[in-house]
Amino acid sequence: MTPEERETLERIRPPRTYPVRLAVQSYDGPIAMLPVAQLYVRDVPDLSPPEGKDLLQVLWCPFDHPIMPRTLLFWRSAAAVTDILETPPEPPAVQFDGYLPEPCVLEPEQITEYPDHLELSEELQEQLKQWSVPQAAEEEMDPDTYYDCVLSNAPGWKVGGWPAWNSTDPSPQPCSECGTGMEVLMTVATFEEGDDAGNSWSPYPHPGAGPYPGHRGYNATGVQIGSGYRQHLFVCPANPEHPHIELMT
């Protein structure tokens, strides 16, 4: 959102002084952050951490701020992490069940994806339209959506890559500290695959199902962003310790 849009939203929906959830007693006290992801550079070499760090820990507050969980990023040295909690602290309540991630073991897979068609020049978009017609016919897909479904914006949780622009047009994301254009660090997704992506982005088969009946994308983490969206975390490529930003698409 633009600063003006955020100001309007905060005016018409004032921030709560304490978290509230139906069927859960109101609680006025500190809320423990929940672990969302723990990534090692040895498993995900494209992380680009600060110097001397090889571990990224992502935590979030299980309440809307104002429309999705607020995240914290901790860049650490794995060798310096010695006092490990067997059971992380738990908050007294969560706003939605989809803000409580299920424990999962990661199976990183390196892929190649391309920018959303909205980020391409008009000339390149026209070339893609012509190229997509015979390609889409072979797979019985819509040529207007073939590129975005098969080559652009892989669904699911991912590190790096390109943002999806499903609910808004592309917009610059400058760093608040130095003005450098920010890049996607990580995407937290509701689904690991989409309804219309053919088999191009199908991950290794796992048991489980998404939160919506009939949706073919499984949801091993149990996380749900909005009504089935994605939460992108953008960081500054000049200094990943500069404040990051969040965007739901």
Side-chain angles (χ1 to χ4, degrees):
M1 292 181 288
T2 65
E4 293 77 13
E5 291 170 336
R6 187 174 295 280
E7 181 181 353
T8 300
L9 180 60
E10 291 176 352
R11 186 176 69 251
I12 63 178
R13 197 169 87 182
R16 299 169 177 151
T17 56
Y18 52 85
V20 177
R21 183 191 178 203
L22 294 179
V24 175
Q25 183 178 3
S26 299
Y27 181 83
D28 188 6
I31 299 295
M33 303 287 282
L34 287 172
V36 177
Q38 179 166 274
L39 306 173
Y40 293 88
V41 173
R42 64 173 183 261
D43 299 323
V44 189
D46 292 334
L47 270 179
S48 301
E51 185 176 357
K53 307 296 177 62
D54 61 354
L55 170 65
L56 171 63
Q57 294 174 326
V58 182
L59 283 72
W60 72 19
C61 173
F63 288 84
D64 280 340
H65 293 269
I67 57 174
M68 56 184 165
R70 177 176 295 165
T71 55
L72 291 179
L73 307 180
F74 293 93
W75 298 97
R76 310 179 70 179
S77 169
V81 181
T82 56
D83 187 12
I84 301 176
L85 294 176
E86 293 185 4
T87 304
E90 294 183 356
V94 298
Q95 186 170 358
F96 301 110
D97 292 342
Y99 290 172
L100 180 64
E102 293 285 342
C104 295
V105 177
L106 300 181
E107 297 180 10
E109 177 188 10
Q110 194 164 27
I111 61 172
T112 300
E113 66 171 14
Y114 297 92
D116 189 291
H117 78 279
L118 294 174
E119 296 196 59
L120 305 177
S121 67
E122 292 185 2
E123 179 182 359
L124 190 52
Q125 288 187 44
E126 185 59 35
Q127 292 178 10
L128 281 173
K129 284 183 180 180
Q130 299 176 12
W131 173 83
S132 295
V133 172
Q135 308 293 331
E138 290 183 6
E139 300 188 37
E140 299 182 352
M141 296 180 65
D142 184 347
D144 291 334
T145 60
Y146 179 81
Y147 170 78
D148 283 336
C149 291
V150 176
L151 298 176
S152 166
N153 297 321
W157 290 55
K158 60 187 179 183
V159 171
W162 298 91
W165 301 106
N166 298 333
S167 55
T168 181
D169 288 337
S171 59
Q173 307 295 330
C175 174
S176 60
E177 291 285 332
C178 65
T180 302
M182 303 185 83
E183 299 176 353
V184 176
L185 166 71
M186 178 178 171
T187 298
V188 177
T190 301
F191 301 112
E192 287 300 309
E193 58 181 327
D195 281 330
D196 54 359
N199 294 318
S200 178
W201 299 116
S202 294
Y204 187 84
H206 286 74
Y212 304 120
H215 197 288
R216 59 187 205 91
Y218 72 86
N219 180 253
T221 65
V223 166
Q224 181 175 331
I225 302 298
S227 300
Y229 293 91
R230 294 180 264 198
Q231 181 173 349
H232 298 300
L233 307 183
F234 287 80
V235 294
C236 176
N239 188 337
E241 293 185 304
H242 283 174
H244 72 288
I245 58 175
E246 301 148 340
L247 185 68
M248 184 171 72
T249 66

